[in-house]
Amino acid sequence: MSEVLVVEKVRKAFGSEVVLEDISFRVPVHTATVFIGSSGSGKSTLLRCINLLEQIDDGIITLDGQEISAVEANVDEVRKKFGMVFQAFNLFPHKTVLENITLAPIHARGIEPEQAIAEALELLARFGLKDKAEQYPDRLSGGQQQRVAIIRSLALHPRMLLLDEITSALDPVLVNEVLSLVRDLKSDGMTMLLATHEMGFAKQVADEVCFLHKGRILEWGAPEDLLESPKLPETKDFLRRVHEAGRL
Amino acid sequence: MGRNSGDSSGVTPYDFGGQWQPSSHELARRASRKKKNNRNAIIATLSSVVVLGSLAIVVVTSPGWKSLSDTFFAWAYGVEVLPKIILGFGTNVVLTLIAGSSVAILGLTIALLRTSRSPALTPFRILSTIYVDLFRGIPMLLVILLVGFGIPALRLQGVTNNVLVLGTIAVIITYTAYVAEVIRSGILTVHPSQRAAARSLGLTHFQTLRHVILPQALRRVTPPLLNDLVALIKDTGLVSILGVTDAVRAAQISSSRTFNYTPYVMAAIVFLLITIPLTRFTDRTLRKSIERQNAQGNA
């Protein structure tokens, strides 16, 4: 199986605080790798590093065999290959749903506006949001906003998706509509990297789960192994606390 | 129906079916509120009439009233000089339009320079910072005198001695410093996550600025910018010190001829006719902008 993303020995520190240390993993094509771990374990920073929103302090990141952590890598070109979705949606409040989705295709991909609109409407229709095309984001529910944010990243035809705790800002009823969209994308063969607190969802969608603890990958494996029979005390402790919080 | 009577012993405790009728309790509450409101309205009217009325009587019957109204409110004379003042006010309006549009362009440029992080722009960033610090700290009258009288004194080849042009330049120099800071503060209030989202979509720095940051920033600073426009209209009157025949100067000429100050009052009224509607408009824009931000906060 060919690898889309390879991360080798990545390190990231903010000043003297080391946030990521010795991070290595691979994401094969059409698979989903899920990062779990408590808040502050470095999940979000890892995703931001991969998308070059943060500069890494050591290590190598390659996408389709090309080193994107190289100094001479074209940052804007690299970012177009990732579809990044944030915890807080980060839709553009001054633009309609349709404009949010077509902005990057028109300006970053340079396709004709008519085609961008047609593609966007097709995506909206596919995910049941066609009637929201002309609305502004603040008129939508949290779940709808996050689905629009996912569609916005899909409109760039990304090589893979980076989903950063995309349901953490949603109330439980709305979580499902977002997760079922991600499940659909997974079964369509989209390669993805997720950070999540939703263990049930991780079990369904993940091909591999990595447990991140204080900036290191402590344990990794198939979801049924890692989530049901973890080996390390830290992993057990984390899963027990999540379980107690009523999420498992 | 349980809700209407306050009796919740019905079969269905949450009966949302029937047509809602206000309860007798609510009706009594409304009647008492209405009575209180009516009483307040009567008190407000009475006290206003008494206070403002007696103030007017005191002013008009005071011994100085006759000379005051002859000196400041000689309406016949005022109407006589009004055409000259309005003609002069044309200069203020033209000056406001030219200075306003120049300030908008230059202020935006300097705000962008000061918020950019490009290493190539470092010298310009330093210059803009010095410029803003300098011209926000100097009284505008001084800048007008320096430019309007100082530059002709240099006797430079090919540089105009036209005081209207020099006065306008002085106004532009001063206001650009203020407006640049207002726009810069607007740019800084756009949350960094917006930039992160735009950059993660592959938009370049400039595209992010153009399509994501600036539209939000400018919308937020529209009320303070309109405020600056009102101030600009008034401050164009300061170029009269250079001998430009604007509304202020026109009033001054008429007034010094007769030692009657009605022309100044007329000039003030002409300014108010423009600035009061603009101030109201600014208030409305501010209110709308606050409402919009609150709506976003709730979403």
Side-chain angles (χ1 to χ4, degrees), chain B residues 13-35:
Chain B
Y14 299 107
D15 177 12
F16 294 118
Q19 190 70 38
W20 172 73
Q21 290 291 329
S23 65
S24 56
H25 190 75
E26 171 64 19
L27 287 174
R29 202 154 48 197
R30 286 180 192 178
S32 125
R33 268 192 212 125
K34 199 174 172 190
K35 210 167 126 191

Side-chain angles (χ1 to χ4, degrees), chain B residues 14-15 31 35 45 65 72 74 93 110-111 133 157 160-161 206 209 222 251 259 267 282 285-286 288:
Chain B
Y14 299 107
D15 177 12
K35 210 167 126 191
T45 314
W65 173 246
F72 291 102
V93 171
I110 288 180
D133 281 355
Q157 282 281 310
T160 180
N161 285 349
F206 181 76
L209 211 53
T222 302
F259 298 107
T282 307
T285 316
L286 179 63
K288 274 190 182 164

Side-chain angles (χ1 to χ4, degrees), chain A residues 48 51 53 75-76 79-80 82 84 86 89-95 100 103-104 107-108 137-140 145 152-153 156, chain B residues 191-205 207 210-216 219-220 292 295-296 298-299:
Chain A
R48 291 173 68 90
N51 200 13
L53 283 172
V75 176
D76 295 324
R79 285 181 184 143
K80 276 182 234 173
F82 291 110
M84 176 125 185
F86 301 85
F89 326 141
N90 296 2
L91 292 174
F92 307 131
H94 61 298
K95 293 197 176 291
N100 261 279
L103 182 67
H107 295 285
D138 62 356
R139 293 272 160 255
L140 306 185
Q145 289 188 49
R152 181 173 72 174
S153 69
L156 277 170
Chain B
H191 198 271
S193 63
Q194 288 285 310
R195 185 185 297 269
R199 296 311 295 271
S200 77
L201 288 168
L203 295 175
T204 63
H205 170 76
Q207 288 170 334
R210 158 85 181 73
H211 297 289
V212 177
I213 308 291
L214 275 184
Q216 296 185 61
R219 200 174 291 192
R220 274 178 216 182
R292 197 166 42 222
Q296 277 171 22
N298 293 336

